[in-house]
Amino acid sequence: MTQTHGPKRGIFITFEGGEGAGKSTQIRHLAERLRQQGLALTLTREPGGSAFAECARELLLDPAKAPVSATAQALLFYAARADHLDQTIRPALATGKWVLCDRFSDSTRAYQGAAGGVEARALSAIDAIVVGGDQPDLTVLLDLDPASGLARADKRRAAASVASTTADTYEGQRLEFHEHLRKGFLALAGAEPKRFVVLDATELESVLADRIWQHVSSRFALPRPTGPVGL
Ligand SMILES: Nc1ncnc2c1ncn2[C@@H]1O[C@H](COP(=O)(O)OP(=O)(O)OP(=O)(O)O)[C@@H](O)[C@H]1O
Ligand SMILES: [Mg+2]
């Protein structure tokens, strides 16, 4: 059906990958470039992005409080996602904002599905109810071998405040878990090549930012940049 009134729906981009792959770093770079184009953005993250979902984040990422089974984790992730979509993502997209989200459903498919053993078809059924037609327009997968990613995350933690020096529920998992995770993400990308762009996360931060920008600016219609004429 053709939309006849109201703003054009915004673009929904998700960033995925294992621990320390550079998702948060690249979201910041893309946000800066999109803002330079004069676009209104919402930056958000999972788990989180709404009051309830941030509470769920505290439970899920604290190894002392997180549900033990991958099934229970998946259900809590999707409960949080349902609220995040209703409170934050859908309203932003409806007003024409671009939404950049640090992790989304593919993380549940990889962590609780491929690495955690929850059946893919069960996750698909829940996803159809919770996310439905509001799937990401583009998913950037930053692919990195898990040992390097965990080493980056350790380094970042060591440089951070005392309050965040312990590994979260997933950072603390065995390397084998992270290997499954990586394979899981790559399989998801292989199954949906139009939605995903897969990048080698060992590249320089600035090179990755350029590659992501090339994909975004060639795939979506961007307004003309704001700023003085002739620049
Ligand atoms: N391309 C890169 N090369 C080397 N180091 C990088 C690169 N990108 C980011 N880093 C560094 O790696 C660490 C992890 O980056 P970042 O926090 O962006 O990863 P993340 O994918 O968001 O991690 P997490 O899953 O733990 O949230 C940071 O210290 C960051 O400065
Ligand atoms: Mg991050």
Side-chain angles (χ1 to χ4, degrees):
M1 200 170 76
T2 316
Q3 199 175 6
T4 51
H5 55 82
K8 192 167 169 280
R9 186 181 183 272
I11 301 291
F12 182 23
I13 302 180
T14 57
F15 284 70
E16 299 280 7
E19 313 295 325
K23 301 174 293 297
S24 305
T25 303
Q26 292 303 325
I27 282 199
R28 286 195 292 273
H29 285 296
L30 180 59
E32 197 181 314
R33 296 196 191 199
L34 289 170
R35 285 199 184 102
Q36 280 166 9
Q37 303 287 315
L39 287 163
L41 305 180
T42 291
L43 300 190
T44 188
R45 66 173 183 182
E46 288 211 340
S50 70
F52 165 71
E54 289 292 331
C55 290
R57 180 185 183 93
E58 277 182 40
L59 296 173
L60 283 160
L61 298 188
D62 182 345
K65 292 182 188 155
V68 174
S69 83
T71 301
Q73 290 172 17
L75 293 170
L76 186 49
F77 270 109
Y78 267 104
R81 184 162 300 134
D83 197 57
H84 183 203
L85 280 156
D86 285 344
Q87 303 295 324
T88 305
I89 298 175
R90 289 188 178 112
L93 291 173
T95 55
K97 285 186 175 169
W98 286 46
V99 175
L100 307 186
C101 188
D102 197 333
R103 296 193 180 279
F104 194 62
S105 298
D106 297 306
S107 279
T108 313
R109 295 182 181 113
Y111 280 73
Q112 282 71 42
V118 180
E119 273 189 48
R121 66 189 173 132
L123 293 177
S124 297
I126 301 171
D127 197 83
I129 295 166
V130 173
V131 186
D134 296 307
Q135 299 293 331
D137 298 295
L138 173 70
T139 298
V140 177
L141 173 59
L142 294 165
D143 177 53
L144 185 63
D145 83 87
S148 311
L150 291 167
R152 281 188 192 176
D154 280 348
K155 212 168 124 191
R156 186 193 48 198
R157 245 196 335 269
S161 67
V162 180
S164 57
T165 47
T166 48
D168 74 26
T169 310
Y170 301 104
E171 285 167 346
Q173 295 278 343
R174 293 201 318 272
L175 196 58
E176 194 191 348
F177 176 90
H178 294 279
E179 299 283 3
H180 283 303
L181 194 59
R182 182 188 195 186
K183 282 197 197 120
F185 274 126
L186 290 172
L188 291 168
E192 282 186 81
K194 280 196 183 140
R195 174 164 68 88
F196 276 89
V197 48
V198 184
L199 297 171
D200 172 0
T202 62
E203 300 246 43
L204 283 176
E205 193 179 316
S206 59
V207 171
L208 285 166
D210 285 345
R211 289 200 202 292
I212 292 168
W213 183 243
Q214 276 164 18
H215 278 282
V216 169
S217 55
S218 62
R219 192 182 288 222
F220 305 111
L222 295 169
R224 255 175 285 175
T226 52
V229 177
L231 279 183

